[in-house]
Amino acid sequence: MIFVTPPGMPYSQPMAIHPLWYRDGVLYVLDQTLLPRKEVVREYHHVEGVAYAIRTMIIRGAPAIGVATAYAMALGALDLHERDNREQRMAEFRGRLESTRPTAVNLRWALDRMMNAAAINSHLPLKEWQQQLVAEANRIREEDIAMCRAIGAHGLPLIPDKATVLTYCNAGALATAGYGTALGVVRAAHEAGRQIRVYACETRPFLQGARLTSWELMKDGVDVTLICDNMAGHFLSRGEITCVVVGADRIAANGDFANKIGTYGVALAARENGVPFYVAAPTSTLDASLPDGKTIPIEERSGHELIQFAGDPIAPQDVKVRNPAFDVTPARYVTAIITETGVHHPPFDFSSRRGEEE
Ligand code: MRU
């Protein structure tokens, strides 16, 4: 087992789980494809490596994808020489990263921030320009942790003592720069001394709930129970769930949102049974350019994720497979959206992107 706790990293807040961090021209990433079996940290020096890590889900979760993308752009900048056309090369790096995972808008958001930082500092000599880009990526990472903590603080009043919270996929420390969004709310309740339980849906086919959510909550001493995805309706109908809290990969202006495939079914079952359904996400997940969720791009992943389990075949190898990685839940099923700016209630209007006017 190779597990490196970042030596002497300046964190704004102490954290138990470090999904990614940067130091001296290297991006360190905890490999989430191997969890919980092995804790292995990978090192990336160039854009291409980080693009591979995002595509293959070594790093995953919308905010973490955004932070990794920012560092990829900084690593790209560090690779440039005096003779290079900075603007052109940065646009090339952007192109390579853009297509890695199409649904999480945080990726595009981070690219915009980095391209903007590159442009406004373009008058600087190469070394100083590179330092500015590393500084911007560090800021994006730190801001992400701060946003997650604020989401936790805003969400705390929604979680009563002795609540059982059902969550889907992994919207935790591993899916962000640290602390988490949906699990940030859970962590805030746990830190406030509330006795809460989490029901984690396993999240077929990539098993983020089974492998990642249960791992990170157990590490933090939160009472977590693993259930199969097809058990969610059962527990919701029996009155065993106080509320559902999930993350999001993209939230349209009207509050429709994309999240891990299967979220929509959980939202329907929650509504049918009168259970509050909350979405927790930073404002970097808002996409004001989309009036509703109909045109959110949905990533389709390889069928291998369905026909194999840990490398072993579990279906005929030539069976036809569909594997959309996300679905869109209409805003009408959402009780509230928790961002770092506060708790937003329907009717949602995120057309100003930062969601500040609600
Ligand atoms: O395919 P993944 O694992 O990247 O999907 C992750 C999710 O769907 C999360 O719920 C979402 O990104 C929010 S993470 C804070």
Side-chain angles (χ1 to χ4, degrees), residues 32 54 57 59-65 101 103-104 106 144 148 151 167-177 180-183 203 206-208 211-212 246-250 257-261 263 280-282 285 299 301 305 325-327:
Q32 298 191 28
I54 295 172
M57 293 170 68
I59 182 95
R60 34 70 46 205
I65 290 170
R101 300 223 44 209
T103 303
N106 309 62
D144 187 69
C148 286
I151 288 168
T167 192
Y168 200 82
C169 193
N170 173 265
L174 289 167
T176 59
T181 57
L183 298 192
T203 320
F206 211 72
L207 303 178
Q208 289 93 330
R211 296 188 302 104
L212 308 176
V246 297
D249 284 77
R250 193 183 292 231
F257 74 100
N259 192 49
K260 181 52 54 194
I261 189 80
T263 303
T285 305
E299 174 185 8
R301 295 187 62 85
E305 290 177 358
F326 301 94
D327 58 24

Side-chain angles (χ1 to χ4, degrees), residues 12-13 15 17 19-20 59-68 70-71 106-107 109-110 113 136-152 171-181 184 248 280-285 339-340 354:
S12 49
Q13 306 274 352
M15 298 190 301
I17 294 161
L20 78 172
I59 182 95
R60 34 70 46 205
I65 290 170
V67 176
Y71 280 119
N106 309 62
L107 188 151
W109 174 86
R113 282 260 315 243
E136 181 70 352
N138 283 335
R139 259 192 301 276
I140 287 174
R141 178 181 174 282
E142 285 286 317
E143 283 171 21
D144 187 69
I145 297 168
M147 287 194 284
C148 286
R149 293 223 171 233
I151 288 168
L174 289 167
T176 59
Y179 203 71
T181 57
T283 49
S284 52
T285 305
T339 74
E340 78 277 12
R354 304 291 302 176

